[in-house]
Amino acid sequence: MADASYDLVVVSNRLPVDRVVDRKGDASWQTSPGGLVTALQPVMRQADAAWVGWVGQPGLEFEPFDSDGVHLIPVSLSAIEVEQYYEGFSNDTLWPLYHDVIAPPRYHRLWWESYVEVNRRFAEAAAGAAADGATVWVHDYQLQLVPRLLREARPDLTIGFFNHIPFPPYGIYSQLPWRTQIVDGLLGADVLGFQRPADAGNFQRAVRRLLGHQTKTGEIRVPEGDGERLVTAKAFPISIDSASYESMARLPEVQERARQIRADLGNPRVVMLGVDRLDYTKGIAHRLKAYGELLGDGELQVGDVVLVQVASPSRERVETYRLLRDEVELTVGRINGDYSSIGHQAISYLHHGYPREEMAALYLAADVMLVTALRDGMNLVAKEYVASRYDEDGILVLSEFAGASDELKHALLINPHDIDGLKAAMMRAVEMPEPERRRRMRGMRKRVMANDVSKWSSRFLAELGESGAK
């Protein structure tokens, strides 16, 4: 307990920095670009705070250090733990299970044992860093056992957990051999946050079925000792740093880059855009199928319309992801081979990530944004597109299976499994009159600009503070 001195401790699989080695072999730390970092860094700079997480590379051990006003506590993972806890149980068991079994989950006892061990190590690091009566905020599906482990080690703590991905219906969740241990692990928290009300409802049903605890909307009664503890479980939909995306989009150099992008594409009448991690949950194959059929039907013409597909690399050591990349790239090649001309491509396919300034330029250049996720906790790309469109133009085609669809009601909502419906929405977007485009975009921007990521973190921490005061 000698090191226990921080009033707020954030625990996530990754630290908010990346270790970068330059050409000379000198290493340095750079702030990660993720939304969670953007949301929490301002809060953490103001508080006496620490962040517990993995450095992102196996076998490296570092002492705690400070970066950009935040105290960082690295947790080391061996190569075998990365394989079993992270690539295995987290991303080849939980990820597909929690995303409605779009790909089949794999259940291995060694993976589970590694998951338990790594969660224990994260919990120990957080317990060692937290001051008496501190608040600890644990994040995401990789660390679902940490709340219970923390509560057993430090009952004085106020503990929150936020699940960034969906929580599945009980009929799917019940397949997990360790379903009861996961639910019990999560119930160590005082406040459980989910992206959508349906996710919170799914979790409460799992609690009733597996543990028999009493629940009502937003509240679970957890037996503890001779009494009971109230756990809050409800939706806290995450958002983005909306103002920063708008500010970036207003920069003259970003606007010039957007014009250049359109010129490089041959100045088509309509630019469609997809931006995704290369993940089977994102519905990229469905999007390509619909687009290819529209070209084949003659409803869209190459030269008049182009699809830009950004597919950033993801989990390339997992077999399912390697197969998906092959499938997507074969489909892109076939469509380009069938429909491209010498001067115009049907699809501009980009298999790498881009900095935020380039993304803002792409958002400005795109007339139609396609978000066709088969299942997605939120999908922040949809909100980034809306925040970037300070010109109040552009159309968002959005899957009803993405959490963002709960808020962005003025998008063209689609079922990505319905290829004919997706095609109809794409054509409606292409042909939509300007007044309707602007009316829809204004409605979405009002929501995204008012409910940014700082509101999300403030709301969750306020709920957690009220819970700790009870």
Side-chain angles (χ1 to χ4, degrees):
M1 291 288 288
D3 296 331
S5 58
Y6 296 94
D7 294 325
L8 173 62
V9 178
V10 170
V11 188
S12 66
N13 179 61
R14 288 291 302 275
L15 285 173
V17 292
D18 295 318
R19 186 171 181 267
V20 178
V21 180
D22 63 21
R23 292 179 181 177
K24 296 179 182 179
D26 296 326
S28 61
W29 298 99
Q30 293 183 1
T31 301
S32 303
L36 183 61
V37 178
T38 305
L40 295 183
Q41 274 203 332
V43 177
M44 299 190 74
R45 289 194 193 107
Q46 294 168 13
D48 183 20
W51 192 311
V52 174
W54 175 45
V55 297
Q57 299 173 34
L60 297 179
E61 295 196 22
F62 297 96
E63 292 298 314
F65 61 97
D66 293 330
S67 176
D68 203 13
V70 178
H71 187 67
L72 305 180
I73 302 174
V75 173
S76 176
L77 297 181
S78 68
I80 192 69
E81 286 171 336
V82 172
E83 179 184 333
Q84 294 180 348
Y85 145 78
Y86 182 67
E87 294 171 350
F89 195 80
S90 295
N91 291 325
D92 215 0
T93 301
L94 294 177
W95 180 270
L97 182 76
Y98 281 33
H99 287 85
D100 291 358
V101 196
I102 294 167
R106 296 201 294 162
Y107 305 116
H108 293 298
R109 284 170 288 183
L110 281 176
W111 290 0
W112 165 250
E113 290 165 9
S114 182
Y115 185 82
V116 172
E117 172 55 33
V118 171
N119 271 246
R120 183 176 291 112
R121 201 176 312 150
F122 274 82
E124 288 171 354
D132 288 343
T135 294
V136 180
W137 191 0
V138 185
H139 287 268
D140 225 359
Y141 63 103
Q142 302 97 341
L143 301 174
Q144 293 176 101
L145 303 180
V146 169
R148 173 61 65 190
L149 293 167
L150 267 177
R151 183 154 301 283
E152 291 172 353
R154 295 286 306 277
D156 60 299
L157 299 176
T158 300
I159 303 167
F161 182 92
F162 186 77
N163 198 52
H164 291 256
I165 68 172
F167 195 91
Y170 184 74
I172 291 175
Y173 179 75
S174 62
Q175 297 175 30
L176 183 66
W178 307 279
R179 58 196 184 184
T180 305
Q181 293 96 312
I182 294 283
V183 166
D184 183 64
L186 289 169
L187 287 176
D190 296 290
V191 177
L192 289 163
F194 299 89
Q195 297 281 26
R196 310 179 78 169
D199 297 323
N202 289 341
F203 177 74
Q204 290 189 56
R205 278 187 284 278
V207 169
R208 291 195 298 271
R209 293 289 296 273
L210 294 170
L211 299 174
H213 298 345
Q214 288 186 338
T215 71
K216 66 177 182 179
T217 305
E219 192 174 86
I220 302 169
R221 296 182 176 274
V222 179
E224 201 156 279
D226 295 330
E228 61 183 17
R229 183 169 52 87
L230 292 181
V231 174
T232 298
K234 64 182 187 180
F236 296 84
I238 198 171
S239 192
I240 61 168
D241 185 359
S242 314
S244 75
Y245 274 94
E246 177 173 329
S247 298
M248 241 184 309
R250 287 183 179 274
L251 293 172
E253 57 268 32
V254 171
Q255 294 175 29
E256 177 56 35
R257 177 60 184 146
R259 286 189 287 270
Q260 183 186 341
I261 288 170
R262 290 190 73 101
D264 290 345
L265 294 169
N267 283 317
R269 181 175 65 88
V270 177
V271 175
M272 294 184 166
L273 176 63
V275 176
D276 312 88
R277 279 190 312 104
L278 192 52
D279 190 290
Y280 49 79
T281 64
K282 302 300 183 181
I284 300 172
H286 297 64
R287 181 184 316 159
L288 295 176
K289 181 176 179 61
Y291 180 68
E293 287 189 10
L294 287 172
L295 292 173
D297 296 343
E299 294 190 68
L300 295 180
Q301 300 292 331
V302 170
D304 186 50
V305 176
V306 65
L307 170 61
V308 178
Q309 176 61 59
V310 177
S312 56
S314 177
R315 301 169 186 163
E316 295 196 305
R317 288 174 42 165
V318 179
E319 178 67 15
T320 311
Y321 289 80
R322 289 198 294 267
L323 294 173
L324 174 67
R325 179 178 180 181
D326 290 344
E327 177 192 348
V328 167
E329 293 182 355
L330 282 169
T331 303
V332 169
R334 179 182 58 76
I335 292 173
N336 276 335
D338 287 347
Y339 302 110
S340 295
S341 64
I342 290 175
H344 298 282
Q345 277 190 307
I347 302 172
S348 177
Y349 176 75
L350 307 159
H351 181 59
H352 44 86
Y354 287 96
R356 291 206 313 164
E357 291 80 2
E358 184 76 355
M359 291 311 307
L362 273 168
Y363 293 145
L364 276 181
D367 304 287
V368 180
M369 184 80 216
L370 301 173
V371 176
T372 57
L374 307 181
R375 193 78 164 90
D376 213 332
M378 177 52 62
N379 194 284
L380 297 179
V381 164
K383 295 186 175 185
E384 291 171 6
Y385 179 69
V386 170
S388 299
R389 295 312 298 245
Y390 70 92
D391 59 351
E392 297 185 343
D393 205 352
I395 292 295
L396 174 63
V397 176
L398 177 60
S399 168
E400 64 190 58
F401 302 120
S405 66
D406 288 351
E407 300 172 87
L408 303 180
K409 301 292 190 183
H410 289 87
L412 294 181
L413 298 179
I414 53 99
N415 172 2
H417 300 281
D418 175 9
I419 300 300
D420 286 337
L422 176 53
K423 288 164 63 179
M426 291 166 73
M427 289 307 301
R428 186 178 173 194
V430 166
E431 296 166 353
M432 186 176 291
E434 181 179 346
E436 184 180 354
R437 295 200 308 265
R438 292 188 178 280
R439 176 180 60 79
R440 287 175 173 272
M441 184 56 74
R442 278 195 297 271
M444 291 188 289
R445 281 182 56 76
K446 183 177 180 182
R447 183 66 185 247
V448 169
M449 302 309 288
N451 295 285
D452 65 4
V453 73
S454 65
K455 290 267 182 69
W456 167 78
S457 58
S458 298
R459 182 172 164 243
F460 189 96
L461 288 170
E463 185 86 36
L464 201 49
E466 290 176 14
S467 173
K470 290 176 183 176

